[in-house]
Amino acid sequence: MVKKVAVVMGSDSDLPVMREALEQLRRFGIPYQVRIISAHRTPAAAEAFASSARDEGFGVIIAGAGKAAHLGGVLAAYTTLPVIGVPIKTSMMGGLDSLLSIVQMPSGVPVATVGVNAAANAGILAAELLAIGDGDLAARLAEYKAEMARSVAEKDAKVCAEYNV
Ligand code: RP5
C-alpha cells in the first residue's frame, strides 16, 4: 500500500496552484490529504502536523507557500519525512521572494524545492520518492515518461515536416 502525501499550503489563496499537485497524485493513484497551515498564522498547527506526520502514515510532505514562505522549512524542522517546497508566484516580486525563502535552507534541514508555481512537478517528485519502494508505482511513472516522450516525438515529426527543407 503506497503511503499518502500531505499537500499543505499557507493560505487558501495558494489552492489554484496547488491543485496541480493533486492532479498528478491522482494520476498515479497516490492517496493524499490537503491542509491549510501557516508557518506564521498557525505555527502551533504546523508543529503538531509535522511532528505526527510520519506516524499518521504520510510518506512525503508537499508545502506550498508564497512571500516569506517559511512553511516548508518549519515543517521540515519537525519531521524526518522528505519535504518538497512549492514557491507560489507573488504580485510584488514574481515569486522570487517565495523561491529564495524556501530554497535557502540552513545546512541540516533540506527542503527539495521545485520551480515557481511548479506544483505539478512537486506531485511527480513525490510520486518518484514513493516509487523507490513500490514497483507498481515505478511502472506507472515509467509509462508516464514514455507517453511524454511519444508526445514530444509527434511534435518533433510535425515541426520537421512543416519547416525542414
Ligand atoms: C503565505 O502568504 C501564503 O502561502 C500565501 O501564498 C501568501 C498570501 O496569503 P494570503 O494573504 O492570500 O492569505 O503565507
Side-chain angles (χ1 to χ4, degrees):
M1 172 73 177
V2 64
K3 284 186 182 291
K4 58 189 176 178
V5 172
V7 180
V8 186
M9 61 204 85
S11 168
D12 60 350
S13 65
D14 302 325
L15 201 45
V17 171
M18 296 307 292
R19 274 202 185 98
E20 293 176 27
L22 307 183
E23 276 171 35
Q24 296 304 322
L25 296 172
R26 276 198 297 273
R27 173 208 293 278
F28 295 114
I30 297 169
Y32 58 80
Q33 280 186 17
V34 182
R35 295 288 306 273
I36 294 171
I37 298 174
S38 166
H40 307 114
R41 293 166 176 158
T42 59
E47 177 183 351
F49 180 82
S51 301
S52 62
R54 182 179 288 275
D55 290 342
E56 293 293 329
F58 291 103
V60 179
I61 297 174
I62 296 174
K67 299 181 178 172
H70 300 139
L71 178 62
V74 169
L75 296 177
Y78 286 107
T79 183
T80 53
L81 293 176
V83 176
I84 303 170
V86 181
I88 303 293
K89 188 173 181 181
T90 55
S91 53
M92 188 76 86
M93 297 183 198
L96 185 59
D97 44 354
S98 317
L99 173 65
L100 295 179
S101 299
I102 294 174
V103 79
Q104 291 287 30
M105 286 295 292
S107 179
V109 189
V111 173
T113 310
V114 296
V116 173
N117 275 4
N121 267 358
I124 295 165
L125 181 55
E128 290 177 340
L129 288 168
L130 293 172
I132 290 169
D134 187 319
D136 291 341
L137 179 53
R140 294 200 288 281
L141 279 158
E143 176 49 35
Y144 165 73
K145 281 188 182 276
E147 174 54 38
M148 191 163 48
R150 279 194 292 272
S151 160
V152 173
E154 273 174 27
K155 290 170 188 166
D156 177 48
K158 208 172 153 194
V159 165
C160 285
E162 192 170 342
Y163 294 99
N164 293 354
V165 290

